[in-house]
PDB file of all heavy atoms in Angstrom:
ATOM      1  N   PHE W   4      14.926  -6.758  -3.930  1.00  0.00           N
ATOM      2  CA  PHE W   4      15.938  -6.480  -4.944  1.00  0.00           C
ATOM      3  C   PHE W   4      15.907  -7.430  -6.143  1.00  0.00           C
ATOM      4  O   PHE W   4      15.906  -6.990  -7.285  1.00  0.00           O
ATOM      5  CB  PHE W   4      17.330  -6.500  -4.303  1.00  0.00           C
ATOM      6  CG  PHE W   4      18.437  -6.160  -5.255  1.00  0.00           C
ATOM      7  CD1 PHE W   4      18.728  -4.838  -5.547  1.00  0.00           C
ATOM      8  CD2 PHE W   4      19.168  -7.154  -5.869  1.00  0.00           C
ATOM      9  CE1 PHE W   4      19.740  -4.522  -6.433  1.00  0.00           C
ATOM     10  CE2 PHE W   4      20.184  -6.846  -6.760  1.00  0.00           C
ATOM     11  CZ  PHE W   4      20.470  -5.531  -7.036  1.00  0.00           C
ATOM     12  N   GLY W   5      15.895  -8.725  -5.908  1.00  0.00           N
ATOM     13  CA  GLY W   5      16.002  -9.665  -7.014  1.00  0.00           C
ATOM     14  C   GLY W   5      14.688 -10.197  -7.548  1.00  0.00           C
ATOM     15  O   GLY W   5      14.693 -11.034  -8.454  1.00  0.00           O
ATOM     16  N   PHE W   6      13.569  -9.695  -7.015  1.00  0.00           N
ATOM     17  CA  PHE W   6      12.263 -10.272  -7.344  1.00  0.00           C
ATOM     18  C   PHE W   6      11.233  -9.154  -7.519  1.00  0.00           C
ATOM     19  O   PHE W   6      11.487  -8.006  -7.175  1.00  0.00           O
ATOM     20  CB  PHE W   6      11.817 -11.229  -6.232  1.00  0.00           C
ATOM     21  CG  PHE W   6      12.847 -12.276  -5.904  1.00  0.00           C
ATOM     22  CD1 PHE W   6      13.690 -12.121  -4.814  1.00  0.00           C
ATOM     23  CD2 PHE W   6      12.993 -13.387  -6.716  1.00  0.00           C
ATOM     24  CE1 PHE W   6      14.652 -13.077  -4.522  1.00  0.00           C
ATOM     25  CE2 PHE W   6      13.951 -14.356  -6.429  1.00  0.00           C
ATOM     26  CZ  PHE W   6      14.785 -14.194  -5.327  1.00  0.00           C
ATOM     27  N   PRO W   7      10.029  -9.481  -8.034  1.00  0.00           N
ATOM     28  CA  PRO W   7       8.995  -8.448  -8.148  1.00  0.00           C
ATOM     29  C   PRO W   7       8.674  -7.832  -6.788  1.00  0.00           C
ATOM     30  O   PRO W   7       8.661  -8.511  -5.761  1.00  0.00           O
ATOM     31  CB  PRO W   7       7.793  -9.228  -8.692  1.00  0.00           C
ATOM     32  CG  PRO W   7       8.383 -10.394  -9.408  1.00  0.00           C
ATOM     33  CD  PRO W   7       9.597 -10.773  -8.618  1.00  0.00           C
ATOM     34  N   SER W   8       8.430  -6.536  -6.798  1.00  0.00           N
ATOM     35  CA  SER W   8       8.068  -5.806  -5.584  1.00  0.00           C
ATOM     36  C   SER W   8       6.629  -5.344  -5.678  1.00  0.00           C
ATOM     37  O   SER W   8       6.071  -5.212  -6.774  1.00  0.00           O
ATOM     38  CB  SER W   8       8.986  -4.593  -5.389  1.00  0.00           C
ATOM     39  OG  SER W   8      10.319  -5.002  -5.135  1.00  0.00           O
ATOM     40  N   GLY W   9       6.045  -5.055  -4.508  1.00  0.00           N
ATOM     41  CA  GLY W   9       4.659  -4.621  -4.463  1.00  0.00           C
ATOM     42  C   GLY W   9       4.491  -3.291  -3.754  1.00  0.00           C
ATOM     43  O   GLY W   9       5.390  -2.811  -3.055  1.00  0.00           O
ATOM     44  N   PHE W  10       3.301  -2.705  -3.933  1.00  0.00           N
ATOM     45  CA  PHE W  10       2.897  -1.491  -3.239  1.00  0.00           C
ATOM     46  C   PHE W  10       1.749  -1.883  -2.312  1.00  0.00           C
ATOM     47  O   PHE W  10       0.776  -2.512  -2.747  1.00  0.00           O
ATOM     48  CB  PHE W  10       2.456  -0.422  -4.230  1.00  0.00           C
ATOM     49  CG  PHE W  10       2.103   0.894  -3.600  1.00  0.00           C
ATOM     50  CD1 PHE W  10       2.974   1.548  -2.743  1.00  0.00           C
ATOM     51  CD2 PHE W  10       0.882   1.507  -3.882  1.00  0.00           C
ATOM     52  CE1 PHE W  10       2.656   2.759  -2.171  1.00  0.00           C
ATOM     53  CE2 PHE W  10       0.553   2.734  -3.311  1.00  0.00           C
ATOM     54  CZ  PHE W  10       1.446   3.356  -2.456  1.00  0.00           C
ATOM     55  N   TYR W  11       1.854  -1.512  -1.030  1.00  0.00           N
ATOM     56  CA  TYR W  11       0.945  -2.006   0.003  1.00  0.00           C
ATOM     57  C   TYR W  11       0.245  -0.868   0.740  1.00  0.00           C
ATOM     58  O   TYR W  11       0.716   0.276   0.728  1.00  0.00           O
ATOM     59  CB  TYR W  11       1.724  -2.818   1.047  1.00  0.00           C
ATOM     60  CG  TYR W  11       2.449  -4.025   0.515  1.00  0.00           C
ATOM     61  CD1 TYR W  11       3.700  -3.896  -0.095  1.00  0.00           C
ATOM     62  CD2 TYR W  11       1.897  -5.300   0.619  1.00  0.00           C
ATOM     63  CE1 TYR W  11       4.381  -5.012  -0.572  1.00  0.00           C
ATOM     64  CE2 TYR W  11       2.568  -6.419   0.143  1.00  0.00           C
ATOM     65  CZ  TYR W  11       3.807  -6.266  -0.456  1.00  0.00           C
ATOM     66  OH  TYR W  11       4.477  -7.367  -0.926  1.00  0.00           O
ATOM     67  N   ARG W  12      -0.855  -1.230   1.409  1.00  0.00           N
ATOM     68  CA  ARG W  12      -1.453  -0.301   2.361  1.00  0.00           C
ATOM     69  C   ARG W  12      -1.834  -1.081   3.621  1.00  0.00           C
ATOM     70  O   ARG W  12      -2.222  -2.257   3.557  1.00  0.00           O
ATOM     71  CB  ARG W  12      -2.665   0.408   1.774  1.00  0.00           C
ATOM     72  CG  ARG W  12      -3.896  -0.448   1.548  1.00  0.00           C
ATOM     73  CD  ARG W  12      -5.037   0.382   0.947  1.00  0.00           C
ATOM     74  NE  ARG W  12      -6.262  -0.415   0.815  1.00  0.00           N
ATOM     75  CZ  ARG W  12      -7.378   0.030   0.229  1.00  0.00           C
ATOM     76  NH1 ARG W  12      -7.409   1.258  -0.286  1.00  0.00           N
ATOM     77  NH2 ARG W  12      -8.448  -0.735   0.156  1.00  0.00           N
ATOM     78  N   TYR W  13      -1.678  -0.394   4.754  1.00  0.00           N
ATOM     79  CA  TYR W  13      -1.994  -0.995   6.043  1.00  0.00           C
ATOM     80  C   TYR W  13      -3.032  -0.128   6.733  1.00  0.00           C
ATOM     81  O   TYR W  13      -2.811   1.068   6.955  1.00  0.00           O
ATOM     82  CB  TYR W  13      -0.735  -1.095   6.908  1.00  0.00           C
ATOM     83  CG  TYR W  13      -1.020  -1.510   8.340  1.00  0.00           C
ATOM     84  CD1 TYR W  13      -1.449  -2.803   8.629  1.00  0.00           C
ATOM     85  CD2 TYR W  13      -0.884  -0.612   9.392  1.00  0.00           C
ATOM     86  CE1 TYR W  13      -1.727  -3.199   9.931  1.00  0.00           C
ATOM     87  CE2 TYR W  13      -1.152  -0.988  10.699  1.00  0.00           C
ATOM     88  CZ  TYR W  13      -1.571  -2.277  10.964  1.00  0.00           C
ATOM     89  OH  TYR W  13      -1.848  -2.650  12.257  1.00  0.00           O
ATOM     90  N   THR W  14      -4.169  -0.736   7.050  1.00  0.00           N
ATOM     91  CA  THR W  14      -5.239  -0.038   7.756  1.00  0.00           C
ATOM     92  C   THR W  14      -5.231  -0.511   9.204  1.00  0.00           C
ATOM     93  O   THR W  14      -5.543  -1.665   9.499  1.00  0.00           O
ATOM     94  CB  THR W  14      -6.608  -0.322   7.109  1.00  0.00           C
ATOM     95  OG1 THR W  14      -6.553   0.012   5.717  1.00  0.00           O
ATOM     96  CG2 THR W  14      -7.693   0.498   7.784  1.00  0.00           C
ATOM     97  N   ALA W  15      -4.821   0.382  10.105  1.00  0.00           N
ATOM     98  CA  ALA W  15      -4.718   0.034  11.524  1.00  0.00           C
ATOM     99  C   ALA W  15      -6.100  -0.088  12.140  1.00  0.00           C
ATOM    100  O   ALA W  15      -7.081   0.480  11.635  1.00  0.00           O
ATOM    101  CB  ALA W  15      -3.898   1.100  12.256  1.00  0.00           C
ATOM    102  N   PRO W  16      -6.213  -0.809  13.264  1.00  0.00           N
ATOM    103  CA  PRO W  16      -7.529  -0.959  13.904  1.00  0.00           C
ATOM    104  C   PRO W  16      -8.062   0.344  14.484  1.00  0.00           C
ATOM    105  O   PRO W  16      -9.271   0.476  14.681  1.00  0.00           O
ATOM    106  CB  PRO W  16      -7.269  -1.995  15.007  1.00  0.00           C
ATOM    107  CG  PRO W  16      -5.804  -1.958  15.243  1.00  0.00           C
ATOM    108  CD  PRO W  16      -5.180  -1.610  13.936  1.00  0.00           C
ATOM    109  N   VAL W  17      -7.174   1.302  14.758  1.00  0.00           N
ATOM    110  CA  VAL W  17      -7.563   2.631  15.226  1.00  0.00           C
ATOM    111  C   VAL W  17      -6.811   3.659  14.377  1.00  0.00           C
ATOM    112  O   VAL W  17      -5.609   3.510  14.131  1.00  0.00           O
ATOM    113  CB  VAL W  17      -7.220   2.837  16.720  1.00  0.00           C
ATOM    114  CG1 VAL W  17      -7.596   4.247  17.172  1.00  0.00           C
ATOM    115  CG2 VAL W  17      -7.930   1.795  17.582  1.00  0.00           C
ATOM    116  N   ASN W  18      -7.508   4.678  13.919  1.00  0.00           N
ATOM    117  CA  ASN W  18      -6.898   5.696  13.066  1.00  0.00           C
ATOM    118  C   ASN W  18      -5.728   6.360  13.793  1.00  0.00           C
ATOM    119  O   ASN W  18      -5.922   7.009  14.828  1.00  0.00           O
ATOM    120  CB  ASN W  18      -7.948   6.749  12.692  1.00  0.00           C
ATOM    121  CG  ASN W  18      -7.444   7.725  11.649  1.00  0.00           C
ATOM    122  OD1 ASN W  18      -6.256   7.997  11.536  1.00  0.00           O
ATOM    123  ND2 ASN W  18      -8.374   8.274  10.873  1.00  0.00           N
ATOM    124  N   PRO W  19      -4.497   6.232  13.281  1.00  0.00           N
ATOM    125  CA  PRO W  19      -3.351   6.826  13.982  1.00  0.00           C
ATOM    126  C   PRO W  19      -3.362   8.347  13.995  1.00  0.00           C
ATOM    127  O   PRO W  19      -2.732   8.968  14.861  1.00  0.00           O
ATOM    128  CB  PRO W  19      -2.147   6.278  13.210  1.00  0.00           C
ATOM    129  CG  PRO W  19      -2.678   5.972  11.844  1.00  0.00           C
ATOM    130  CD  PRO W  19      -4.082   5.518  12.068  1.00  0.00           C
ATOM    131  N   MET W  20      -4.084   8.974  13.062  1.00  0.00           N
ATOM    132  CA  MET W  20      -4.190  10.433  13.066  1.00  0.00           C
ATOM    133  C   MET W  20      -4.985  10.910  14.278  1.00  0.00           C
ATOM    134  O   MET W  20      -4.791  12.028  14.754  1.00  0.00           O
ATOM    135  CB  MET W  20      -4.843  10.919  11.779  1.00  0.00           C
ATOM    136  CG  MET W  20      -4.034  10.629  10.522  1.00  0.00           C
ATOM    137  SD  MET W  20      -2.419  11.466  10.501  1.00  0.00           S
ATOM    138  CE  MET W  20      -2.930  13.189  10.465  1.00  0.00           C
ATOM    139  N   GLU W  21      -5.867  10.068  14.775  1.00  0.00           N
ATOM    140  CA  GLU W  21      -6.639  10.404  15.969  1.00  0.00           C
ATOM    141  C   GLU W  21      -5.935   9.937  17.244  1.00  0.00           C
ATOM    142  O   GLU W  21      -5.962  10.622  18.256  1.00  0.00           O
ATOM    143  CB  GLU W  21      -8.024   9.761  15.877  1.00  0.00           C
ATOM    144  CG  GLU W  21      -8.838  10.237  14.679  1.00  0.00           C
ATOM    145  CD  GLU W  21     -10.119   9.446  14.486  1.00  0.00           C
ATOM    146  OE1 GLU W  21     -10.360   8.506  15.283  1.00  0.00           O
ATOM    147  OE2 GLU W  21     -10.859   9.736  13.526  1.00  0.00           O
ATOM    148  N   ARG W  22      -5.277   8.793  17.167  1.00  0.00           N
ATOM    149  CA  ARG W  22      -4.640   8.217  18.340  1.00  0.00           C
ATOM    150  C   ARG W  22      -3.245   8.792  18.591  1.00  0.00           C
ATOM    151  O   ARG W  22      -2.765   8.820  19.714  1.00  0.00           O
ATOM    152  CB  ARG W  22      -4.559   6.697  18.176  1.00  0.00           C
ATOM    153  CG  ARG W  22      -3.999   5.966  19.387  1.00  0.00           C
ATOM    154  CD  ARG W  22      -3.981   4.466  19.142  1.00  0.00           C
ATOM    155  NE  ARG W  22      -3.396   3.737  20.251  1.00  0.00           N
ATOM    156  CZ  ARG W  22      -4.061   3.333  21.312  1.00  0.00           C
ATOM    157  NH1 ARG W  22      -5.358   3.596  21.407  1.00  0.00           N
ATOM    158  NH2 ARG W  22      -3.456   2.674  22.285  1.00  0.00           N
ATOM    159  N   GLY W  23      -2.558   9.217  17.523  1.00  0.00           N
ATOM    160  CA  GLY W  23      -1.211   9.745  17.661  1.00  0.00           C
ATOM    161  C   GLY W  23      -0.145   8.679  17.749  1.00  0.00           C
ATOM    162  O   GLY W  23       0.981   8.941  18.167  1.00  0.00           O
ATOM    163  N   ARG W  24      -0.435   7.467  17.323  1.00  0.00           N
ATOM    164  CA  ARG W  24       0.529   6.375  17.246  1.00  0.00           C
ATOM    165  C   ARG W  24      -0.074   5.249  16.421  1.00  0.00           C
ATOM    166  O   ARG W  24      -1.290   5.187  16.208  1.00  0.00           O
ATOM    167  CB  ARG W  24       0.910   5.842  18.634  1.00  0.00           C
ATOM    168  CG  ARG W  24      -0.232   5.268  19.434  1.00  0.00           C
ATOM    169  CD  ARG W  24       0.225   4.823  20.809  1.00  0.00           C
ATOM    170  NE  ARG W  24       1.014   3.600  20.750  1.00  0.00           N
ATOM    171  CZ  ARG W  24       0.515   2.383  20.951  1.00  0.00           C
ATOM    172  NH1 ARG W  24      -0.789   2.235  21.219  1.00  0.00           N
ATOM    173  NH2 ARG W  24       1.275   1.317  20.886  1.00  0.00           N
ATOM    174  N   LEU W  25       0.791   4.353  15.944  1.00  0.00           N
ATOM    175  CA  LEU W  25       0.342   3.205  15.164  1.00  0.00           C
ATOM    176  C   LEU W  25       0.001   2.043  16.080  1.00  0.00           C
ATOM    177  O   LEU W  25       0.669   1.828  17.096  1.00  0.00           O
ATOM    178  CB  LEU W  25       1.453   2.759  14.205  1.00  0.00           C
ATOM    179  CG  LEU W  25       1.684   3.594  12.952  1.00  0.00           C
ATOM    180  CD1 LEU W  25       2.915   3.075  12.215  1.00  0.00           C
ATOM    181  CD2 LEU W  25       0.468   3.535  12.031  1.00  0.00           C
ATOM    182  N   ARG W  26      -1.014   1.294  15.699  1.00  0.00           N
ATOM    183  CA  ARG W  26      -1.352   0.074  16.425  1.00  0.00           C
ATOM    184  C   ARG W  26      -1.274  -1.121  15.485  1.00  0.00           C
ATOM    185  O   ARG W  26      -1.562  -1.013  14.284  1.00  0.00           O
ATOM    186  CB  ARG W  26      -2.757   0.157  17.021  1.00  0.00           C
ATOM    187  CG  ARG W  26      -2.834   0.941  18.325  1.00  0.00           C
ATOM    188  CD  ARG W  26      -4.195   0.797  18.969  1.00  0.00           C
ATOM    189  NE  ARG W  26      -4.533  -0.616  19.205  1.00  0.00           N
ATOM    190  CZ  ARG W  26      -5.715  -1.017  19.673  1.00  0.00           C
ATOM    191  NH1 ARG W  26      -6.656  -0.121  19.952  1.00  0.00           N
ATOM    192  NH2 ARG W  26      -5.956  -2.295  19.868  1.00  0.00           N
ATOM    193  N   ASP W  27      -0.887  -2.261  16.053  1.00  0.00           N
ATOM    194  CA  ASP W  27      -0.845  -3.504  15.308  1.00  0.00           C
ATOM    195  C   ASP W  27      -2.258  -4.093  15.222  1.00  0.00           C
ATOM    196  O   ASP W  27      -3.194  -3.593  15.843  1.00  0.00           O
ATOM    197  CB  ASP W  27       0.112  -4.474  16.004  1.00  0.00           C
ATOM    198  CG  ASP W  27       0.634  -5.555  15.079  1.00  0.00           C
ATOM    199  OD1 ASP W  27       0.231  -5.593  13.903  1.00  0.00           O
ATOM    200  OD2 ASP W  27       1.457  -6.373  15.545  1.00  0.00           O
ATOM    201  N   GLY W  28      -2.391  -5.173  14.445  1.00  0.00           N
ATOM    202  CA  GLY W  28      -3.663  -5.870  14.375  1.00  0.00           C
ATOM    203  C   GLY W  28      -4.557  -5.447  13.236  1.00  0.00           C
ATOM    204  O   GLY W  28      -5.722  -5.868  13.167  1.00  0.00           O
ATOM    205  N   GLY W  29      -4.036  -4.623  12.319  1.00  0.00           N
ATOM    206  CA  GLY W  29      -4.846  -4.152  11.209  1.00  0.00           C
ATOM    207  C   GLY W  29      -4.779  -5.067   9.995  1.00  0.00           C
ATOM    208  O   GLY W  29      -4.386  -6.234  10.086  1.00  0.00           O
ATOM    209  N   VAL W  30      -5.144  -4.518   8.832  1.00  0.00           N
ATOM    210  CA  VAL W  30      -5.263  -5.273   7.588  1.00  0.00           C
ATOM    211  C   VAL W  30      -4.223  -4.781   6.594  1.00  0.00           C
ATOM    212  O   VAL W  30      -4.067  -3.573   6.383  1.00  0.00           O
ATOM    213  CB  VAL W  30      -6.675  -5.125   6.989  1.00  0.00           C
ATOM    214  CG1 VAL W  30      -6.762  -5.785   5.618  1.00  0.00           C
ATOM    215  CG2 VAL W  30      -7.714  -5.730   7.931  1.00  0.00           C
ATOM    216  N   LEU W  31      -3.495  -5.727   5.976  1.00  0.00           N
ATOM    217  CA  LEU W  31      -2.515  -5.416   4.938  1.00  0.00           C
ATOM    218  C   LEU W  31      -3.068  -5.836   3.579  1.00  0.00           C
ATOM    219  O   LEU W  31      -3.592  -6.939   3.429  1.00  0.00           O
ATOM    220  CB  LEU W  31      -1.200  -6.150   5.220  1.00  0.00           C
ATOM    221  CG  LEU W  31      -0.059  -5.878   4.227  1.00  0.00           C
ATOM    222  CD1 LEU W  31       0.433  -4.443   4.357  1.00  0.00           C
ATOM    223  CD2 LEU W  31       1.097  -6.860   4.449  1.00  0.00           C
ATOM    224  N   GLU W  32      -2.929  -4.929   2.610  1.00  0.00           N
ATOM    225  CA  GLU W  32      -3.376  -5.201   1.243  1.00  0.00           C
ATOM    226  C   GLU W  32      -2.289  -4.795   0.255  1.00  0.00           C
ATOM    227  O   GLU W  32      -1.412  -4.004   0.565  1.00  0.00           O
ATOM    228  CB  GLU W  32      -4.661  -4.437   0.940  1.00  0.00           C
ATOM    229  CG  GLU W  32      -5.843  -4.812   1.837  1.00  0.00           C
ATOM    230  CD  GLU W  32      -6.982  -3.834   1.687  1.00  0.00           C
ATOM    231  OE1 GLU W  32      -6.816  -2.678   2.127  1.00  0.00           O
ATOM    232  OE2 GLU W  32      -8.033  -4.238   1.146  1.00  0.00           O
TER     233      GLU W  32
END
């Protein structure tokens, strides 16, 4: 709210479209 905001993407270690759920341990950019 009071500071600059960003737009991010998270790439999970396993594609959630194939696995059917999100997994931790990926990369944030």
Side-chain angles (χ1 to χ4, degrees):
F4 183 82
F6 307 99
S8 294
F10 184 53
Y11 300 82
R12 70 180 184 185
Y13 171 69
T14 305
V17 178
N18 188 332
M20 296 297 296
E21 299 172 359
R22 184 179 177 86
R24 61 182 287 264
L25 284 174
R26 280 189 57 185
D27 202 358
V30 174
L31 182 68
E32 299 168 291

